[in-house]
């Protein structure tokens, strides 16, 4: 096993020094984490999930092991070596660079020494011992970094196809949009050689039953792709340019392209694109659906629950009618709300006799009363009726409004 100078220096210190410093472990570790998060951008995200557990455990273990090594020449350090090599591998996997790792260790050591020094002085430790302790701690940091770098470089050497792996992980992080992921996204983007754009569009893909393989070879380097998941998707900085070569080559695939949005809004953009894959009909030509051409439709179809609740509140007078009566009066009410025309104009639009329209309008007045004169009520009715019409037009039979 490699001989570590820091372990030899720590073992030469009085065992009582370690015992005196042990109560300060928690305070020192907390101070180190706080300062590292404040000064090293790569570690500035909230202490949540795997990231938080790894950072806290790494710092606490380093402080505790350093103190436990004081005055203990027979202490085994094999677990320490394995742990920090593993820590280096995590840094590579998460897309952070070696500078961040070394900066955090150096800053942490300075903070730890500052946090513990008053206790050392108060204990009346000989200045010569203090000098050796300081030398040991800074050697410890150097060797901890070197050990982590070994793990980092091993992972780097083993990761054949590391860039594709990072690109897939990068896309996964972007579309999940977890809180505090901005730093990890930036690190992965740098490691993947993919400059972070300010805006991007999401493309939801749907494979038909007889579709050929997706023509991924036509995608430019700027496109991130996940073609393996049950809901395949792409991220593109320039959807018009990137999708132009695909349009005639989709061979059974359908694609829905979100509006171009800030990168932080990519999760919502992907949900919108997936919603657009439900659209069908003569107004949806070709294999590529551009959400920008159907924003009103997508907005009205965005939430089944809200559309149903709006219909329940705005169209409640229809509840007592038969389905046939409800359909006839609904189309008449929507035509009146959209045109505010008289019976002849509405009759021509609906293809019925004007007298039929007059009869229906009288029924509507009886059902809704003064609500037909209220602008807010009329807007609610119109939105509810249009949403119902869109659902019937664009949803498969199994998904139509019940």
């Amino acid at each position: 096993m490699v001989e570590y100078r820091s372990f030899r220096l720590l073992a030469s210190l009085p065992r009582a020094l370690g015992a005196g410093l042990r109560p300060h472990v928690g305070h020192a570790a907390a101070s180190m984490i706080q300062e590292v998060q404040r000064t090293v951008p790569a570690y500035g995200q909230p202490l949540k999930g795997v990231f938080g557990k790894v950072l806290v455990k790494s710092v606490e273990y380093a402080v505790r092991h350093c103190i436990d090594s004081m005055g203990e020449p027979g202490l085994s350090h094999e677990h320490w070596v394995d742990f920090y090599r593993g820590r280096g591998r995590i840094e590579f996997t998460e897309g952070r660079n070696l500078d961040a790792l070394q900066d955090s260790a150096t800053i942490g050591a300075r903070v730890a020494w500052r946090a513990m020094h008053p206790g050392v002085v108060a204990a009346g430790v000989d200045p010569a011992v203090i000098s050796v302790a300081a030398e040991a701690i800074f050697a410890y940091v150097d060797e901890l970094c070197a050990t982590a770098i070994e793990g980092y470089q091993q992972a780097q050497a083993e990761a054949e196809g590391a860039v594709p792996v990072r690109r897939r992980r990068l896309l996964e992080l972007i579309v999940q949009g977890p809180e505090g992921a901005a730093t990890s996204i930036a690190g992965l983007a740098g490691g993947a050689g993919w400059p972070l754009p300010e805006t991007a569009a999401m493309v939801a893909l749907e494979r038909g039953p007889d579709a050929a393989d997706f023509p991924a070879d036509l995608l430019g380097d700027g496109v991130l792709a996940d073609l393996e998941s049950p809901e395949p998707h792409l991220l593109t900085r320039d959807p018009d340019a990137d999708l132009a070569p695909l349009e005639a080559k989709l061979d059974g695939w359908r694609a829905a392209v979100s509006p171009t949005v800030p990168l932080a809004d990519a999760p919502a953009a992907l949900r919108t694109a997936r919603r657009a894959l439900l659209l069908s009909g003569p107004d949806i030509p070709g294999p590529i659906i551009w959400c920008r051409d159907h924003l009103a439709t997508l907005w009205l179809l965005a939430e089944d629950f809200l559309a149903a609740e709006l219909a329940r509140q705005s169209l409640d007078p229809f509840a007592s009618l038969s389905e046939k009566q409800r359909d006839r009066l609904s189309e008449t009410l929507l035509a009146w709300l959209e045109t505010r025309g008289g019976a002849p104009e509405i009759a021509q639009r609906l293809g019925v006799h004007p007298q039929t329209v007059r009869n229906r309008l009288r029924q509507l007045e009886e059902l809704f009363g003064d609500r037909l004169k209220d602008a807010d009520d009329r807007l609610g009715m119109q939105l509810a009726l249009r949403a119902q019409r869109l659902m019937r037009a664009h949803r498969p039979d199994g998904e139509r409004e019940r």
Side-chain angles (χ1 to χ4, degrees):
M1 182 175 177
V2 176
E3 182 179 352
Y4 289 82
R5 178 168 171 268
S6 63
F7 298 161
R8 179 169 50 80
L9 290 170
L10 289 168
S12 72
L13 294 170
R15 185 177 299 178
L17 178 60
L21 292 178
R22 199 162 286 117
H24 300 277
V25 167
H27 170 65
S31 300
M32 292 163 69
I33 292 168
Q34 183 178 24
E35 185 65 10
V36 165
Q37 288 209 290
R38 188 183 71 83
T39 57
V40 183
Y43 297 101
Q45 59 185 290
L47 291 173
K48 294 182 178 179
V50 174
F51 167 81
K53 290 178 182 177
V54 169
L55 180 59
V56 171
K57 183 176 180 180
S58 298
V59 172
E60 290 179 346
Y61 183 35
V63 177
R64 189 177 300 109
H65 176 266
C66 183
I67 291 174
D68 288 346
S69 299
M70 293 178 178
E72 296 288 350
L75 186 68
S76 172
H77 304 287
E78 290 184 13
H79 181 269
W80 181 93
V81 173
D82 291 341
F83 180 88
Y84 285 102
R85 280 181 181 158
R87 183 73 171 86
R89 298 179 75 89
I90 291 173
E91 292 298 289
F92 173 78
T93 303
E94 292 296 319
R96 288 183 285 272
N97 58 38
L98 293 172
D99 290 341
L101 176 65
Q102 292 174 305
D103 288 347
S104 65
T106 303
I107 291 167
R110 187 172 65 246
V111 171
W113 180 249
R114 190 165 58 234
M116 292 187 173
H117 188 261
V120 174
V121 174
V125 178
D126 186 277
V129 172
I130 294 177
S131 176
V132 173
E135 183 181 359
I137 288 173
F138 288 104
Y140 184 90
V141 169
D142 289 341
E143 291 171 347
L144 183 152
C145 287
T147 303
I149 288 169
E150 286 178 19
Y152 187 101
Q153 292 173 338
Q154 287 172 357
Q156 194 172 40
E158 293 167 3
E160 294 182 3
V163 169
V165 170
R166 283 175 177 235
R167 287 169 68 94
R168 285 195 295 273
R169 174 60 178 152
L170 174 61
L171 179 57
E172 180 184 345
L173 269 181
I174 290 172
V175 300
Q176 287 177 349
E179 183 181 353
T183 301
S184 294
I185 288 172
L188 280 171
W194 192 79
L196 277 177
E198 291 186 4
T199 60
M202 299 302 306
V203 183
L205 301 172
E206 181 180 70
R207 184 173 190 164
D210 301 317
D213 290 341
F214 188 84
D217 57 312
L218 298 179
L219 296 174
D221 288 340
V223 178
L224 300 180
D226 181 353
L227 302 176
E228 306 300 325
S229 72
E231 295 182 302
H233 52 276
L234 314 173
L235 182 151
T236 165
R237 299 183 183 92
D238 187 349
D240 291 280
D242 288 331
L243 298 181
L246 296 176
E247 190 157 9
K249 302 286 186 178
L250 287 176
D251 293 332
W253 288 80
R254 296 176 75 226
V257 188
S258 80
T260 299
V261 299
L263 196 62
D265 291 333
L270 182 56
R271 290 194 296 272
T272 300
R274 285 175 174 158
R275 173 71 63 170
L277 287 176
L278 298 173
L279 301 182
S280 61
D283 57 330
I284 313 292
I288 299 180
I289 303 167
W290 295 89
C291 293
R292 65 195 180 200
D293 297 332
H294 308 281
L295 292 179
T297 297
L298 290 167
W299 178 58
L300 287 171
L301 294 177
E303 292 291 347
D304 292 346
F305 165 76
L306 292 178
E309 183 63 16
L310 180 62
R312 188 187 69 79
Q313 292 187 13
S314 299
L315 305 176
D316 56 302
F318 286 160
S320 61
L321 304 180
S322 68
E323 183 177 354
K324 191 173 183 179
Q325 289 175 311
R326 189 161 57 243
D327 288 345
R328 288 175 175 173
L329 289 179
S330 291
E331 69 174 5
T332 303
L333 177 57
L334 181 57
W336 177 77
L337 290 167
E338 290 179 340
T339 66
R340 299 302 299 275
E345 181 182 351
I346 296 174
Q348 184 176 10
R349 178 171 177 158
L350 299 179
V352 298
H353 195 278
Q355 188 56 44
T356 300
V357 172
R358 293 187 186 96
N359 292 337
R360 293 180 185 176
L361 291 174
R362 278 196 294 272
Q363 286 181 272
L364 290 169
E365 288 176 0
E366 292 173 2
L367 288 167
F368 288 90
D370 289 341
R371 289 169 63 178
L372 296 176
K373 300 176 183 178
D374 185 278
D376 289 338
D377 281 336
R378 289 198 305 270
L379 177 60
M381 295 172 201
Q382 186 171 353
L383 290 174
L385 290 166
R386 285 180 64 84
Q388 288 180 348
R389 185 171 68 182
L390 288 168
M391 289 176 187
R392 287 193 294 268
H394 292 295
R395 300 252 173 115
D397 290 343
E399 295 187 20
R400 289 182 183 172
E401 181 195 16
R402 293 174 176 80

